[in-house]
Amino acid sequence: MDKLDQTDKTILRILQSDSKKTAKEIAETLHLTISPVYERIRRLEQQGYIKKYVAILDKELIDRSITTICQVSMRYHDESFIEKFEQQIQDLEEVQECYHMAGQVDFVLKIHTQSLEGYHNFIRYKLSKIENIGVLNSAFVLKEIKHTSEYYI
């Protein structure tokens, strides 16, 4: 894997900010020709620096305005239970992010629902059906202060 130079980093910053920018637009910003910029972008994709391009949706407009951080502690920490939980959580569309943690809780989930009742139904009919969950602790987001998908590079 090639080491990133300053031009690569600038290209990545531009694409993180707006992935719809064309190679031509990026080339104009960098005062380069299109061909080397296009080749750099292609190389960054092939080397895995760029995993995919996505559209970030407005959660209010798609009726997913309730954000909940849910801490999950497991009853048993056997590898098979952990793996099964990790597999089952993949199928829950309300879960946007899931992290296996070190410390007092085993997993932290970021969950989006349309309402508190929607969250209650999610817990009652979906999450609580996963075997081996011991304790659930939910915290509701009152105000989103910072939300970014960009890495500082």
Side-chain angles (χ1 to χ4, degrees):
M1 191 173 296
D2 296 339
K3 186 171 170 71
L4 296 176
D5 65 16
Q6 202 54 45
T7 302
D8 290 332
K9 291 177 182 180
T10 302
I11 289 170
L12 290 173
R13 281 193 296 272
I14 291 168
L15 288 173
Q16 281 188 106
S17 176
D18 183 358
S19 67
K20 288 186 75 172
K21 290 275 187 190
T22 65
K24 180 181 178 185
E25 292 171 316
I26 295 169
E28 288 172 1
T29 300
L30 297 175
H31 307 293
L32 298 171
T33 59
I34 296 169
S35 187
V37 170
Y38 175 78
E39 290 301 319
R40 281 176 179 263
I41 293 170
R42 205 174 76 149
R43 177 179 47 81
L44 291 166
E45 291 169 344
Q46 290 171 344
Q47 291 181 346
Y49 287 102
I50 300 171
K51 293 172 100 173
K52 65 181 178 177
Y53 297 91
V54 299
I56 298 173
L57 307 181
D58 185 313
K59 67 183 181 180
E60 304 290 333
L61 293 176
I62 61 167
D63 200 22
R64 295 292 180 271
S65 59
I66 302 297
T67 303
T68 308
I69 305 301
C70 181
Q71 298 176 335
V72 178
S73 296
M74 308 302 277
R75 278 190 224 140
Y76 309 107
H77 294 86
D78 182 87
E79 185 177 349
S80 63
F81 283 114
I82 299 295
E83 287 176 4
K84 188 172 181 181
F85 176 85
E86 290 173 356
Q87 290 168 356
Q88 290 174 303
I89 211 74
Q90 298 293 329
D91 297 329
L92 302 177
E93 61 190 27
E94 295 87 350
V95 178
Q96 187 176 26
E97 298 174 35
C98 176
Y99 301 97
H100 192 172
M101 307 297 288
Q104 291 184 325
V105 299
D106 297 309
F107 293 93
V108 172
L109 312 176
K110 182 178 177 184
I111 300 163
H112 290 283
T113 56
Q114 73 277 9
S115 64
L116 290 176
E117 182 181 357
Y119 181 72
H120 175 259
N121 290 335
F122 167 75
I123 294 296
R124 185 173 183 182
Y125 300 115
K126 292 183 179 182
L127 192 59
S128 67
K129 302 296 184 197
I130 295 178
E131 188 179 356
N132 192 38
I133 292 178
V135 177
L136 292 176
N137 184 14
S138 301
F140 298 98
V141 174
L142 298 176
K143 180 180 178 185
E144 189 173 282
I145 308 302
K146 180 178 180 178
H147 179 121
T148 184
S149 60
E150 298 177 31
Y151 291 104
Y152 176 77
I153 52 171

